[in-house]
Amino acid sequence: MPTVGVKRDELFAAIGQVFTDEQFDHLCFEFGIELDEITSERQMKEKEQGAKAASGADDSVIYKIDVPANRYDLLCVEGIARALRVFMKKELPPVFRVVAPKTTQQVITVKKNQGLETMRPYVVSCILRDVTFTEERYASFIDLQDKLHQNICRRRTLVAIGTHDFDTIEGPFTYEGQAPESIRFVPLSLTREFNARELLDQYRTNPDFKHLKPYTDIIYDFPTYPIIYDKNRTVLSLPPIINSEHSKIKLSTKNVFIECTATDITKANVVLNTMIAMFSQYCAAPFTVEPVQVVYEADGHKELTPNMSNREVVTKVKDIQSMLFGTKEPIDLDVERICELCVKMQLEATYLKESHSIKVQVPPTRSDILHPVDVMEDVGIAYGYDNIPMTHPPTLTIGRAQPINKLGDALRDEISRAGYIELLTHGLCSHDENFKFLNQKDDGKSAVVLANPATIEFEVVRTTMIPGVLKTVLNNKSMSLKDGLKLFEISDVVLLDDASDVGAKNVRRLCALYTGQTDGFEVIHGLVDRVMQLVGIGCSLESHHDKDLFYTVVPSQNPTFFPGRCADIVLTRNGDKIKLGSFGVLHPVVLEHYELLYPCSVVEMDVEPLV
């Protein structure tokens, strides 16, 4: 779930009501979002960079709110405040209007035979007129673009947003593909002119632009680069990399030109509609937007964007009632009540008597509503899950812990007594974290890859728990390492398995880390010996070990670990050898990838063979 940080006082002002922390936490719960953390800029800097760096930072209270990954309308303070106002019945959902364009020059022509078809073939656009920016609104405007880029835009690979001061440019506009050496302009926040290839090389090599470096790979190797010009051949943007300094948005900007180039037209429309829905409220005529016509030279067809019309979804009343109450009689959930609850979730609803159904008008802000079951879920949220009566299950069973879970719990107790702090990290991670950052190559036969990840941070199901442990250290740099830091986790990884019905299997593992002034290899080695002692398996070096069941520490080579400082844990049972896992000192390249300053030793081993 994405986390949105908003200033408490700014949010309360937008909602029009002041809450205590407990009251707001309860309101978030009722609405289906979560108040994850209450902090401040100073506290965040102190946690990440130390007390010295936090000196003089703002002490304003910041609420960090977890929102559903597909609720793009909740990624900024404007969207959260509006949704909560409607939920609290303080106002009705807004009605968005596409008004007639002021000039006939509001046109973007997509040129043909210039390589756009294979790079970024689509563009959508609009104009917000007479916008009034304040410092807070401007900051939110920029922050929403960043959050959309990280989420639905998939780090700009699917959609890239460009925003411009419309008064500094002149239509009609052209979207073209040009040789990088022929594209020259002054990029945003810089003062001199670059050609496109020179600019991308600058972003790839200069550490001051490391935030832009990942995006350069999207177009770097293409023979032509996408570029948007105005009537006078003034560059607006080099998507998906950077806008032009000439047309940058300022606090004094009144008319905003928004263009979104994309490889996915559906997501482009969602992104554009989200930007409009959140910031058209600051127009002189609130919730209005002027369209831009997009002309595709390749086939001659024309599109007027944006499309801010509602969609219709029909849901049967009996399905809504049965979802909340099963076969029991509904409590205070008649047709009229269902329509009221839909409005609380920004869905206009009417009753269709003939089919005993609810017809819902889905606004452009609710791209997450795709199916009648989504409407049913929103009705459940608005009704309040706490208001649904508890019922006893119709069957009676006797349960007990699985042996693997009992062993896991016992190991957690013992490892904690050894001074290790237990972690619970995400089961999803980025592809780079799972492979590249650990000096490993993806053979394509081990990791479950998500087809449509919500963000770049959650691309694969982890095949190793090491990234989660290392990210924990990265995000807790303020902790003292004077006496060393010991962390552990016992959880599952997921591996592809053709023999499984679902094509993958869960594997229970133990992962532990030591970091401090020294690498602590002997500390992790000691933990391995202690774990094997606890499960009653002797070491091959012991003179009286069981000849049919013992373990051996075998020197090995693994690119994740420092050469010569790595070993495998091999279990021998009745002559059969099983590799449980490996431990060793992490390679300096791995430490650099995770921005860790101190040496680390790590063990990761399977637990299931020990049951």
Side-chain angles (χ1 to χ4, degrees):
M1 295 174 71
T3 300
V4 181
V6 296
K7 291 186 176 180
R8 180 192 63 186
D9 295 344
E10 185 180 337
L11 176 61
F12 287 176
I15 295 174
Q17 185 174 337
V18 175
F19 304 85
T20 64
D21 292 340
E22 292 76 14
Q23 289 172 335
F24 187 73
D25 186 26
H26 183 67
L27 175 61
C28 289
F29 174 79
E30 287 186 324
F31 183 62
I33 58 180
E34 181 181 354
L35 179 58
D36 181 60
E37 184 181 358
I38 302 172
T39 183
S40 67
E41 183 181 333
R42 183 185 59 78
Q43 289 175 340
M44 289 190 292
K45 276 193 173 182
E46 184 174 331
K47 182 178 179 181
E48 296 171 2
Q49 304 173 25
K52 187 175 180 180
S55 178
D58 191 359
D59 272 323
S60 299
V61 176
I62 293 176
Y63 281 167
K64 287 193 171 184
I65 302 172
D66 285 344
V67 301
N70 59 354
R71 285 298 300 270
Y72 311 116
D73 59 313
L74 300 180
L75 290 177
C76 62
V77 65
E78 288 80 7
I80 295 174
R82 182 188 303 158
L84 292 178
R85 288 197 305 269
V86 174
F87 184 75
M88 297 166 65
K89 298 184 179 180
K90 287 178 173 287
E91 64 180 52
L92 292 174
V95 177
F96 301 97
R97 293 185 299 119
V98 179
V99 299
K102 287 192 175 182
T103 72
T104 59
Q105 303 302 308
Q106 296 175 195
V107 177
I108 296 181
T109 301
V110 180
K111 294 293 185 177
K112 64 179 180 179
N113 301 327
Q114 296 186 358
L116 293 176
E117 297 82 4
T118 57
M119 284 189 296
R120 308 182 76 78
Y122 306 110
V123 63
V124 293
S125 183
C126 73
I127 298 169
L128 298 178
R129 293 277 185 183
D130 296 322
V131 177
T132 301
F133 279 119
T134 62
E135 289 188 7
E136 292 79 12
R137 294 173 183 178
Y138 179 81
S140 181
F141 183 74
I142 301 300
D143 187 56
L144 176 60
Q145 294 177 61
D146 289 340
K147 284 191 168 56
L148 290 171
H149 278 148
Q150 296 299 317
N151 287 274
I152 183 174
C153 300
R154 211 81 56 80
R155 292 178 68 85
R156 307 190 191 184
T157 55
L158 298 183
V159 186
I161 310 166
T163 55
H164 312 274
D165 187 333
F166 190 62
D167 295 328
T168 65
I169 53 181
E170 186 177 357
F173 308 94
T174 56
Y175 178 38
E176 309 175 10
Q178 296 289 338
E181 290 75 18
S182 67
I183 300 171
R184 300 194 64 86
F185 69 105
V186 179
L188 191 66
S189 301
L190 294 178
T191 55
R192 79 172 182 90
E193 187 175 83
F194 292 79
N195 71 49
R197 176 74 71 182
E198 181 187 12
L199 179 63
L200 263 61
D201 287 337
Q202 173 87 340
Y203 289 160
R204 292 164 76 89
T205 57
N206 190 330
D208 291 339
F209 302 105
K210 64 180 181 180
H211 61 293
L212 292 173
K213 178 182 177 180
Y215 308 126
T216 60
D217 291 335
I218 300 173
I219 63 170
Y220 189 80
D221 293 325
F222 282 103
T224 61
Y225 288 177
I227 191 79
I228 298 180
Y229 291 107
D230 77 349
K231 175 183 177 182
N232 303 312
R233 303 298 289 176
T234 300
V235 171
L236 274 65
S237 67
L238 175 69
I241 311 300
I242 196 73
N243 293 339
S244 165
E245 175 72 13
H246 174 83
S247 59
K248 76 173 182 179
I249 301 290
K250 303 178 287 291
L251 278 175
S252 58
T253 297
K254 299 302 293 182
N255 300 308
V256 179
F257 179 74
I258 304 175
E259 41 85 5
C260 300
T261 58
T263 59
D264 186 320
I265 188 63
T266 301
K267 286 183 169 58
N269 284 315
V270 170
V271 169
L272 182 65
N273 289 350
T274 302
M275 291 295 297
I276 294 167
M278 297 303 104
F279 291 95
S280 60
Q281 70 182 56
Y282 299 135
C283 294
F287 306 114
T288 61
V289 60
E290 288 187 21
V292 172
Q293 187 175 70
V294 181
V295 180
Y296 291 89
E297 272 192 356
D299 56 10
H301 88 276
K302 303 177 180 179
E303 291 184 10
L304 197 66
T305 62
N307 178 7
M308 300 296 287
S309 58
N310 294 341
R311 296 177 289 113
E312 290 185 357
V313 175
V314 177
T315 307
K316 293 188 178 297
V317 172
K318 67 175 184 179
D319 291 341
I320 297 174
Q321 293 174 335
S322 65
M323 182 196 75
L324 298 180
F325 298 97
T327 58
K328 294 186 177 295
E329 189 68 23
I331 302 174
D332 190 23
L333 194 65
D334 56 15
V335 169
E336 184 178 348
R337 172 74 166 151
I338 290 174
C339 291
E340 290 177 0
L341 296 176
C342 286
V343 172
K344 288 183 66 175
M345 303 303 291
Q346 304 183 65
L347 306 174
E348 182 183 341
T350 55
Y351 175 56
L352 302 178
K353 186 175 181 180
E354 299 79 9
S355 58
H356 193 47
S357 302
I358 300 295
K359 181 172 72 175
V360 170
Q361 298 291 331
V362 181
T365 53
R366 295 300 307 275
S367 58
D368 59 300
I369 302 290
L370 302 174
H371 187 274
V373 74
D374 297 318
V375 177
M376 294 158 56
E377 179 187 17
D378 270 15
V379 171
I381 292 172
Y383 182 83
Y385 289 134
D386 283 347
N387 297 323
I388 301 172
M390 296 180 64
T391 57
H392 292 287
T395 57
L396 178 63
T397 60
I398 298 174
R400 61 189 177 92
Q402 294 282 359
I404 184 64
N405 293 335
K406 290 183 68 175
L407 175 60
D409 289 342
L411 287 176
R412 288 186 182 96
D413 289 343
E414 292 295 337
I415 295 173
S416 296
R417 292 189 184 101
Y420 287 79
I421 301 171
E422 186 177 5
L423 309 176
L424 181 61
T425 59
H426 283 295
L428 302 177
C429 62
S430 74
H431 186 276
D432 283 352
E433 289 170 348
N434 201 70
F435 294 104
K436 178 181 176 182
F437 289 3
L438 297 178
N439 273 352
Q440 300 288 347
K441 293 183 179 179
D442 181 9
D443 59 5
K445 299 178 182 179
S446 58
V448 176
V449 180
L450 275 65
N452 187 28
T455 75
I456 192 104
E457 296 177 348
F458 304 131
E459 293 177 314
V460 299
V461 186
R462 65 182 178 186
T463 61
T464 169
M465 295 196 294
I466 295 177
V469 178
L470 295 183
K471 286 196 291 184
T472 301
V473 179
L474 170 63
N475 289 294
N476 290 275
K477 288 184 176 179
S478 61
M479 294 185 68
S480 173
L481 301 181
K482 180 181 178 182
D483 299 319
L485 177 64
K486 298 192 285 188
L487 307 173
F488 83 99
E489 180 177 9
I490 297 177
S491 191
D492 285 1
V493 299
V494 176
L495 303 175
L496 291 176
D497 181 13
D498 294 335
S500 169
D501 292 341
V502 296
K505 64 179 181 180
N506 284 41
V507 178
R508 186 69 49 87
R509 285 187 181 172
L510 159 66
C511 184
L513 169 144
Y514 175 89
T515 182
Q517 304 293 334
T518 63
D519 58 46
F521 180 83
E522 69 285 355
V523 177
I524 290 298
H525 195 326
L527 177 65
V528 172
D529 292 339
R530 176 59 176 159
V531 168
M532 302 308 285
Q533 181 187 49
L534 290 169
V535 296
I537 299 176
C539 177
S540 60
L541 298 178
E542 297 174 7
S543 57
H544 301 294
H545 70 271
D546 187 339
K547 303 302 182 183
D548 294 325
L549 181 64
F550 60 91
Y551 77 96
T552 309
V553 175
V554 182
S556 65
Q557 296 296 321
N558 186 320
T560 299
F561 298 101
F562 197 85
R565 300 283 282 169
C566 172
D568 291 338
I569 309 162
V570 179
L571 176 68
T572 301
R573 178 182 283 131
N574 298 323
D576 296 330
K577 295 184 182 298
I578 304 170
K579 179 183 173 182
L580 296 180
S582 303
F583 68 94
V585 180
L586 289 179
H587 198 286
V589 173
V590 176
L591 298 179
E592 183 180 359
H593 282 147
Y594 286 93
E595 301 177 28
L596 302 183
L597 305 177
Y598 294 91
C600 300
S601 290
V602 171
V603 58
E604 184 173 27
M605 58 186 289
D606 291 349
V607 174
E608 293 187 36
L610 305 178
V611 175

